Amino acid sequence: LIVVFVVLQVSVAVLLDNFVAASSEIKLDEENKEYEKLRHSEPVAHPLDPFLESLSKEFVDDKDLSERIHNYFVEIDEDGSGYISYRELCRQLRRLPFTPPIHITASDYDVITEEGTLCSFDDQLSPEGFERVVRVQLDSYIQQKSSDLLVMSSRLDPHMESVLQTMKMVVLNQQV
């Protein structure tokens, strides 16, 4: 009888320990999911940011960037006309697998095409115009990310701040 009582107590203790461990693991999983949800729900500063983020991580040099932009142009030019209209750009960018999905408004289109100055006839983008739009937007995106990193690093490491400031000046001087 004593053996049964001791075994019962040990069994309850083991079960309770397993229950507490499983509960802790579930709680941690839920916290991680909530963090990921918050991280992915941050507002996007510009509608092309998911596309630009992906592109900025993929290319290795200027030629590779041009090729990647051209490949996107071909993919977006759904009618094969050699030009991208506002409607084609909207439809095709929404279909690309970016998170969050890309949605371009008419006013966004006006901004990225510099009020149509980068467009050819009928307010459409040629391959050259599309490349110019993407490069201008990519340059702006990278500058913004660099500035964000500069602000964040100044709180963490003063030496890194000076390195990033120097890099920023080099980039700005190349544009002049």
Side-chain angles (χ1 to χ4, degrees):
L1 186 62
I2 295 178
V3 172
V4 171
F5 182 74
V6 170
V7 169
L8 179 65
Q9 295 297 323
V10 170
S11 297
V12 169
V14 168
L15 288 172
L16 185 59
D17 186 49
N18 288 340
F19 174 77
V20 169
S23 295
S24 296
E25 191 172 310
I26 289 170
K27 184 177 180 181
L28 183 61
D29 285 345
E30 288 173 353
E31 288 172 356
N32 287 339
K33 286 177 185 175
E34 189 66 28
Y35 172 76
E36 286 298 314
K37 190 186 307 181
L38 287 173
R39 194 170 69 87
H40 289 295
S41 69
E42 292 175 0
V44 176
H46 189 279
L48 290 177
D49 280 0
F51 168 66
L52 299 170
E53 178 183 14
S54 174
L55 192 60
S56 71
K57 293 176 181 177
E58 294 171 350
F59 77 95
V60 292
D61 59 21
D62 193 60
K63 182 181 177 190
D64 184 46
L65 177 59
S66 289
E67 288 173 6
R68 289 175 187 277
I69 292 171
H70 177 75
N71 291 341
Y72 276 114
F73 180 88
V74 169
E75 189 172 350
I76 293 170
D77 181 20
E78 64 186 348
D79 64 4
S81 66
Y83 292 91
I84 297 175
S85 68
Y86 163 68
R87 292 189 189 283
E88 278 180 309
L89 187 66
C90 290
R91 272 194 306 268
Q92 295 303 94
L93 283 178
R94 240 180 282 142
R95 290 182 181 157
L96 295 175
F98 294 113
T99 303
I102 297 173
H103 177 73
I104 302 287
T105 65
S107 61
D108 294 330
Y109 187 75
D110 288 341
V111 169
I112 66 173
T113 61
E114 298 177 2
E115 304 300 323
T117 60
L118 298 178
C119 294
S120 38
F121 73 95
D122 291 340
D123 215 21
Q124 295 188 17
L125 289 167
S126 65
E128 298 80 19
F130 181 72
E131 181 163 356
R132 181 73 183 133
V133 163
V134 172
R135 284 180 176 269
V136 166
Q137 295 303 311
L138 185 60
D139 184 58
S140 177
Y141 173 81
I142 291 172
Q143 283 184 28
Q144 181 60 50
K145 290 299 179 184
S146 298
S147 294
D148 293 347
L149 183 60
L150 183 61
V151 169
M152 193 170 36
S153 71
S154 67
R155 296 181 200 141
L156 302 175
D157 184 359
H159 300 305
M160 183 57 79
E161 180 181 16
S162 63
V163 170
L164 291 171
Q165 286 174 336
T166 303
M167 288 175 59
K168 185 175 182 179
M169 290 308 298
V170 168
V171 169
L172 289 175
N173 287 334
Q174 286 181 344
Q175 294 175 353
V176 175

